[in-house]
Amino acid sequence: MEQDIVPGGTRRNLQNVADSVDWPPDLPEQRRLLLSDAQTSGGLLISVSNAKLESLLQELEAAGAPYRSVIGEITDGPPGRIVILP
């Protein structure tokens, strides 16, 4: 990435979300590209209520899921907008 070697799909992903995402003004383009990476090849995003979060994480661990992370939360805000916080 530091050598500006980024898949075309990643750049297209970033362009495609331009009207839907509010980025922090000081977030470098490299970070924006990383969050738009087209090379996930099987990444999975699951949304559950806070009441079910711990149960889900435990079930994923028991099932042998190699990686489990909470990456954000859904809050009140403008409909159809994604706000990336610093």
Side-chain angles (χ1 to χ4, degrees):
M1 188 165 283
E2 290 176 0
Q3 297 175 2
D4 198 34
I5 301 171
V6 178
T10 297
R11 292 191 189 282
R12 285 188 297 278
N13 284 348
L14 185 57
Q15 289 172 346
N16 288 335
V17 300
D19 293 336
S20 302
V21 176
D22 295 331
W23 302 98
D26 58 342
L27 189 69
E29 183 183 23
Q30 288 179 337
R31 290 284 177 107
R32 295 173 194 219
L33 287 166
L34 183 61
L35 291 169
S36 303
D37 189 10
Q39 302 179 95
T40 58
S41 185
L44 178 63
L45 181 65
I46 301 173
S47 175
V48 297
S49 67
N50 282 337
K52 296 181 180 182
L53 176 59
E54 286 306 316
S55 175
L56 173 63
L57 292 173
Q58 290 171 4
E59 289 181 36
L60 289 169
E61 183 176 13
Y67 304 102
R68 305 156 304 280
S69 295
V70 176
I71 62 166
E73 66 180 282
I74 297 173
T75 60
D76 289 334
R81 303 289 310 160
I82 298 170
V83 179
I84 307 296
L85 301 174

